[in-house]
Amino acid sequence: MSERQRADARRNYARILAAAEREVAAQGAGASLEKIARAAGVGSATVRRHFPTRRALLEAVHEQRLAALCARARELAALDDSRTALLTWLADLVAHSVSARGLAVALAYDGPTADNTCTAVLEEAAGPLLRRAVEDGAVAARVTFSDLVTLVVGIVLATERHPDPAASADRLFQLAVRGVGPEG
């Protein structure tokens, strides 16, 4: 491949990603790949060459948010209270997932053989928060990182059409954390 072809491919990638970011922000995870291709000024085959799956496109769209969540996990690891560190990070994950349309779908669990880069990246950064909370007895040993991400995804997807999705998602997250018993 010539240098000119590589430069064209990099430009196409950048245009596709910019168009995808706009379209996903407006339409969510179901954004039209054809509209993304038209907005980027490329053919749909070019979009598929750069992003062979919808998940790959969503992962690229949300790469910066994922990096911010990973950095936040590393920052919270310094807290003495492991439960607070984990729950604060999960609340941040809820907030990011509500504000970034399509992120919850990118995080959704697709079964044991699925390759979910988004969740793997987050687990590498935030998994230590869960392990420490389990070691401290602040979280049940049976709780997995996948369980927590699935809980967040479910809450975000269930509230995305509410009049105030952020408030609804936070309320349900807090309910899940505290349980349904009377407050004491």
Side-chain angles (χ1 to χ4, degrees):
M1 180 182 286
S2 74
E3 185 58 38
R4 178 179 150 84
Q5 289 173 317
R6 284 191 294 267
D8 286 345
R10 285 190 300 272
R11 279 193 299 276
N12 283 344
Y13 180 91
R15 288 198 318 262
I16 293 165
L17 188 55
E21 287 170 350
R22 290 189 301 273
E23 190 64 19
V24 169
Q27 303 300 322
S32 165
L33 297 180
E34 295 300 322
K35 265 180 107 170
I36 291 168
R38 278 194 305 276
V42 300
S44 59
T46 301
V47 172
R48 284 177 181 48
R49 193 169 34 258
H50 286 285
F51 303 102
T53 65
R54 181 172 297 274
R55 181 178 302 275
L57 180 65
L58 290 172
E59 288 172 356
V61 164
H62 296 297
E63 186 176 351
Q64 289 181 345
R65 287 187 187 275
L66 294 171
L69 285 162
C70 290
R72 180 70 168 141
R74 288 186 290 274
E75 174 186 310
L76 290 167
L79 290 180
D80 289 335
D81 184 338
S82 60
R83 181 176 171 84
T84 297
L86 177 63
L87 294 180
T88 299
W89 185 82
L90 287 170
D92 288 350
L93 179 59
V94 170
H96 274 271
S97 298
V98 167
S99 68
R101 294 190 70 184
L103 180 55
V105 172
L107 294 172
Y109 179 69
D110 286 337
T113 60
D115 180 25
N116 189 325
T117 304
C118 287
T119 301
V121 164
L122 292 180
E123 185 169 7
E124 183 178 328
L129 296 176
L130 174 60
R131 286 190 292 281
R132 195 177 101 193
V134 167
E135 288 168 5
D136 291 350
V139 172
R142 69 183 178 283
V143 175
T144 67
F145 192 81
S146 178
D147 292 338
L148 297 175
V149 171
T150 300
L151 177 66
V152 168
V153 166
I155 288 170
V156 171
L157 293 178
T159 58
E160 69 183 358
R161 298 200 193 283
H162 286 203
D164 185 352
S168 296
D170 183 61
R171 181 182 163 282
L172 287 176
F173 175 69
Q174 295 305 325
L175 180 64
V177 168
R178 290 190 188 106
V180 296
E183 296 180 347

